[in-house]
Amino acid sequence: MIAITGANGQLGKLVVKGLLNVIPADEIIAAVRNPEKSDDLRALGVQVREADYDRPETLLKAFEGVDKVLLISAVVPGERLRQHKAAISAAKQAGVGVLAYTSMLRADTSRMTLAVEHRETERYLKDSGLDFIILRNGWYLENNTGALIPAIEQGAIIGSAGQGRFASAARADYAAAAVSVLTHPGHTNKTYELAGDESFSMSEFAEAVSKQVGRTIAYNDMPPTKYESILLSFGLPKIIVDVIIDADVKSLSGELNSSSNDLSQLIGRSTTTLSDAIQAALTVQPAVPPKEGLPVIEIVTFTLKPSVTAAQFILVDRLIEAEYVSKCPGFLSRESAPGPNNTWLAIIHWQSVGSADASMKGIVTAPGADKLMSMIVPESMGMTLYGW
Ligand SMILES: NC(=O)c1ccc[n+]([C@@H]2O[C@H](COP(=O)([O-])OP(=O)(O)OC[C@H]3O[C@@H](n4cnc5c(N)ncnc54)[C@H](OP(=O)(O)O)[C@@H]3O)[C@@H](O)[C@H]2O)c1
């Protein structure tokens, strides 16, 4: 039995789904703070148990009969060490065989503020006598891509990271690493430095975004005090703002960069590229994804720039259809037409979700794609898949 704590969270759900590809559902326990929020996990066939870091009695019960625990680090700085200690003690008391913990990059030496509680947790875990696996996760690509749409609307990405480099990877990569160490032998009492295969500066991030949206999105570097006041004006809590500023400032001395290839080695593939992460963030996902293997209908809507006429756009649209979309594997049919106020609609039928996704990923390099993107108001672009 493998229990995943924080399983209602984004990383936890990815780990549970990844485990389902490797072990039966009845060997997986989603250990969550709020079981009433876990209908989607129950629908996957896994067992849901209450496990609140602030209520140790729930942790002990959640870990009953469990061989391996993945302790996903808690959320609130300042509270986390106490919460992690409660989970580790409960695992020890319940007779868990091995506890894997999601720490942070070079937690033993890092000067980032967040590292302190991770370092202390690692020490507590090692001192507990439990067998351990330490997954020192680097920064998530989603930390950058999560706020992309408003940044594009503003025409700029802001920060205080200067030329600091981020060897970030996608949550899905870190989840795959957790699945790998939990389901394969040979990882006990090891520590992994997990980071993306490539690093980028914030200027390079802005350049990659500009390329995909077809217009310049600048990176505006600013003093930390100015960045802080802007983040606070967005309504972000001070405790979170402090973490963001600290990360940017410490990135200047390389704290979020790494040349470790532990992550790609554990997952047996390259880590998610910055460009794929940007593309995923710009693609609106349906609330209920259609099932793989069944036909889907892709609806794409957007608005042409005021200077672009329907007659000009149709030429580029037809070129993309003839030279790229219709040649993609799984293509069934496509139609497109103008609507009111320079809006445009395209309806594409695909044999499966996979074929629709693959075509979307490749479109950036398709002939005429640059021209097409330059004619569209970037933030007006919406894509939804419909299917059963
Ligand atoms: N490497 C990075 O860049 C990065 C970025 C952000 C966070 N992190 C760390 O990585 C962890 C996982 O990331 P994520 O994206 O999955 O975060 P997330 O989506 O916010 O999920 C965190 C989960 O922790 C649960 N949780 C919070 N307090 C708890 C408690 N007292 N007892 C039990 N569970 C509790 C939450 O439960 P509810 O669903 O009930 O709220 C939530 O499901 C975070 O918690 C944080 O430590 C890393």
Side-chain angles (χ1 to χ4, degrees):
M1 286 289 235
I2 301 180
I4 312 302
T5 70
N8 271 340
Q10 299 163 88
L11 182 67
K13 280 190 179 154
L14 289 169
V15 174
V16 169
K17 287 176 186 164
L19 282 172
L20 281 166
N21 294 326
V22 189
I23 59 171
D26 61 7
E27 291 178 20
I28 302 169
I29 294 165
V32 300
R33 172 166 59 173
N34 289 305
E36 69 278 10
K37 288 197 331 196
S38 304
D39 284 350
D40 53 343
L41 290 168
R42 274 187 210 94
L44 296 172
V46 305
Q47 214 187 112
V48 174
R49 292 187 186 173
E50 185 180 12
D52 184 341
Y53 302 142
D54 290 328
R55 294 171 52 232
E57 68 282 7
T58 63
L59 297 168
L60 193 56
K61 277 185 86 173
F63 297 155
E64 258 169 35
V66 168
D67 309 302
K68 298 175 186 177
V69 167
L70 173 67
L71 170 57
I72 292 188
S73 51
V75 178
V76 183
E79 303 294 324
R80 305 203 291 176
L81 178 58
R82 174 185 56 76
Q83 295 176 321
H84 298 159
K85 281 181 170 176
I88 293 165
S89 298
K92 173 85 177 159
Q93 208 181 327
V96 164
V98 58
L99 184 141
Y101 169 64
T102 62
S103 183
M104 71 172 281
L105 208 53
R106 295 186 296 272
D108 52 344
T109 56
S110 173
R111 280 158 293 172
M112 280 180 57
T113 311
L114 281 179
V116 177
E117 284 180 296
H118 285 297
R119 182 154 55 234
E120 292 299 317
T121 302
E122 287 189 9
R123 192 169 300 150
Y124 189 81
L125 174 56
K126 288 180 179 169
D127 290 347
S128 75
L130 272 171
D131 276 337
F132 62 85
I133 304 169
I134 293 175
L135 299 165
R136 288 184 175 159
N137 290 351
W139 229 220
Y140 296 159
L141 280 168
E142 289 86 348
N143 294 348
N144 295 114
T145 59
L148 208 45
I149 304 291
I152 291 169
E153 278 167 13
Q154 297 297 319
I157 291 162
I158 57 172
S160 298
Q163 285 307 307
R165 299 195 75 78
F166 296 77
S168 306
R171 270 195 194 87
D173 299 328
Y174 297 114
V179 170
S180 175
V181 299
L182 289 167
T183 55
H184 292 91
H187 300 293
T188 305
N189 298 333
K190 293 201 171 143
T191 298
Y192 295 99
E193 300 288 351
L194 304 180
D197 293 338
E198 290 165 5
S199 67
F200 57 88
S201 67
M202 289 303 290
S203 307
E204 288 165 358
F205 172 57
E207 271 169 39
V209 174
S210 305
K211 208 167 152 190
Q212 291 206 28
V213 299
R215 71 182 163 103
T216 301
I217 307 296
Y219 171 55
N220 288 348
D221 197 60
M222 55 186 67
T225 44
K226 184 168 177 201
Y227 188 29
E228 181 186 19
S229 62
I230 293 176
L231 292 176
L232 289 171
S233 76
F234 292 162
L236 282 176
K238 174 86 167 73
I239 198 164
I240 301 297
V241 171
D242 288 347
V243 167
I244 296 171
I245 303 280
D246 183 65
D248 266 24
V249 171
K250 305 279 171 60
S251 77
L252 288 164
S253 49
E255 295 293 4
L256 288 163
N257 200 3
S258 170
S259 56
S260 167
N261 59 1
D262 284 0
L263 182 51
S264 49
Q265 283 198 344
L266 280 180
I267 64 182
R269 60 168 170 79
S270 305
T271 59
T272 304
T273 62
L274 178 61
S275 124
D276 280 353
I278 293 169
Q279 194 174 28
L282 296 177
T283 306
V284 179
Q285 296 297 327
V288 180
K291 287 195 186 71
E292 183 52 52
L294 296 176
V296 288
I297 307 161
E298 177 185 346
I299 304 286
V300 186
T301 52
F302 48 87
T303 303
L304 302 182
K305 288 181 177 165
S307 56
V308 178
T309 65
Q312 288 167 331
F313 183 75
I314 193 84
L315 298 173
V316 182
D317 185 69
R318 291 287 178 264
L319 173 76
I320 292 267
E321 178 174 319
E323 294 300 320
Y324 176 70
V325 185
S326 63
K327 291 182 179 167
C328 287
F331 172 80
L332 296 173
S333 66
R334 180 179 188 273
E335 54 194 323
S336 70
N341 304 321
N342 242 16
T343 54
W344 203 276
L345 167 76
I347 304 173
I348 310 130
H349 291 257
W350 297 100
Q351 276 171 357
S352 67
V353 181
S355 46
D357 282 349
S359 91
M360 182 53 72
K361 286 204 172 82
I363 199 156
V364 187
T365 52
D370 283 355
K371 179 76 183 156
L372 182 114
M373 290 312 292
S374 73
M375 299 172 112
I376 291 172
V377 178
E379 56 269 29
S380 70
M381 187 96 172
M383 195 281 278
T384 311
L385 289 181
Y386 294 83
W388 297 99

